[in-house]
Amino acid sequence: MNLEMRNRIYNQAKDWVLQAGMVIRKKMAEPLEIETKSNRNDLVTTMDKDIEYFFVSRIKQKYPDDKIISEEGYGDTLGSLKGTVWIIDPIDGTMNFVHQKRNFAISVGVYHEGIGEFGFIYDVMADTIYSAKRGEGAYKNDYRLPKLNSEKQITESIIGMNHFWLCENRLVDEKVMQQFIRTIRGTRLYGSAALEFAYVSEGIMDGYISMSLAPWDFAAGVIILKEVGGEIYTATGEEINMLKKNSIVACNPSIKHEIIDKHLKAGRK
Ligand code: 2AM
Ligand code: CA
């Protein structure tokens, strides 16, 4: 991808993300049709579908050779990341969108030949956009995010993690997770993986752990987090696969060993 094309696609993608956010805010007061997917708490609304269509229709028209991976079914089924691939979650944190009317995000990551080029995480109600271009740093609106603190201690770390580690954890022994929670300073749960990646990138959380995330939940976050020196692994410390669901550890590298080797791997069931 040459420089001119890079800038053009970046600006276009950012424009679409902001426009889509405006659509959501404008329609926020309208009645919602809510359905469930894999289980009674896995929600999808007409807004998720409409916003995904908003992106897919525009990408297909303007960049017909590009491919799309997205949550609600308008995208392509891909076996590789060849060419340019847009990975989109129209609403990340649908339960927050439905119940809380805040703390949800539009997440868009653009990959070229398997490499993350641009990422956008748009906190729609706060009107805050986290963005990154590979090699050019990450931003919160117009503010360039500094590199993560390279001397972060695990005992002073705040880690984003959800209740599934307590009640449905099939990966790691509960006792080890309890020990982990006693070791760190505190936990947070925001209910939007994309926003949790953004907060780790901003340095207001030091890590985020999830048992299972889909590519659209983390595609943009990976690009943004890498720009501030953050790292992303599976719970067993392996490289993540952008085409599948993965367990995820996104963190400040100075606490990676403590999270993965000393706890998640050590307590693996
Ligand atoms: P969603 O709102 O787009 O579904 C909630 O802790 C986070 O996990 C959200 O980012 C949510 O994305 C995601 N999530 C919820 N259910 C999931 C599932 N079955 N697989 C993968 N990610 C899921
Ligand atoms: Ca979603």
Side-chain angles (χ1 to χ4, degrees), residues 82-114:
K82 272 176 69 174
T84 301
V85 182
W86 299 60
I87 307 184
I88 299 173
D89 193 344
I91 297 185
D92 182 66
T94 301
M95 197 183 287
N96 287 350
F97 170 69
V98 169
H99 288 269
Q100 308 192 307
K101 315 284 184 206
R102 76 191 79 166
N103 286 336
F104 59 88
I106 297 171
S107 173
V108 175
V110 181
Y111 285 69
H112 186 67
E113 305 299 352

Side-chain angles (χ1 to χ4, degrees), residues 18-204:
L18 294 172
Q19 279 178 37
M22 215 146 44
V23 171
I24 296 176
R25 284 195 300 271
K26 218 166 84 189
K27 292 190 176 171
M28 210 59 195
E30 291 179 13
L32 270 180
E33 270 175 50
I34 305 166
E35 293 169 38
T36 57
K37 295 192 286 188
S38 61
N39 63 64
R40 71 181 179 88
N41 297 323
D42 187 4
L43 309 179
V44 60
T45 72
T46 38
M47 190 79 89
D48 298 70
K49 294 176 189 168
D50 290 353
I51 296 297
E52 182 165 311
Y53 186 74
F54 173 101
F55 283 103
V56 172
S57 55
R58 281 163 178 77
I59 295 164
K60 290 282 176 205
Q61 205 225 340
K62 191 144 187 186
Y63 306 109
D65 295 335
D66 290 5
K67 300 279 182 276
I68 300 164
I69 296 175
S70 53
E71 183 164 17
E72 312 303 346
Y74 292 110
D76 305 301
T77 306
L78 299 185
S80 84
L81 286 183
K82 272 176 69 174
T84 301
V85 182
W86 299 60
I87 307 184
I88 299 173
D89 193 344
I91 297 185
D92 182 66
T94 301
M95 197 183 287
N96 287 350
F97 170 69
V98 169
H99 288 269
Q100 308 192 307
K101 315 284 184 206
R102 76 191 79 166
N103 286 336
F104 59 88
I106 297 171
S107 173
V108 175
V110 181
Y111 285 69
H112 186 67
E113 305 299 352
I115 295 169
E117 293 289 343
F118 322 125
F120 302 94
I121 295 172
Y122 186 29
D123 180 335
V124 172
M125 301 315 283
D127 188 22
T128 298
I129 188 162
Y130 295 85
S131 60
K133 240 188 240 177
R134 183 174 57 85
E136 297 184 27
Y139 288 79
K140 177 186 182 184
N141 295 328
D142 294 328
Y143 169 69
R144 184 166 176 159
L145 296 174
K147 290 275 181 196
L148 299 180
N149 173 1
S150 60
E151 289 172 15
K152 193 82 207 182
Q153 301 293 316
I154 192 71
T155 49
E156 292 173 3
S157 294
I158 296 183
I159 306 295
M161 55 195 292
N162 68 28
H163 53 282
F164 292 116
W165 289 96
L166 297 177
C167 67
E168 273 182 38
N169 183 2
R170 294 175 296 272
L171 296 177
V172 184
D173 183 75
E174 300 81 66
K175 292 221 163 29
V176 176
M177 291 314 288
Q178 288 165 6
Q179 182 52 46
F180 179 67
I181 287 166
R182 284 191 203 102
T183 304
I184 63 179
R185 177 158 282 169
T187 59
R188 290 293 181 273
L189 162 58
Y190 293 96
S192 156
L195 286 178
E196 309 206 53
F197 265 83
Y199 298 159
V200 178
S201 307
E202 196 179 344
I204 62 171

Side-chain angles (χ1 to χ4, degrees), residues 228-242:
V228 292
E231 294 178 358
I232 303 94
Y233 302 93
T234 67
T236 47
E238 273 123 47
E239 206 179 310
I240 57 166
N241 183 332
M242 292 304 305

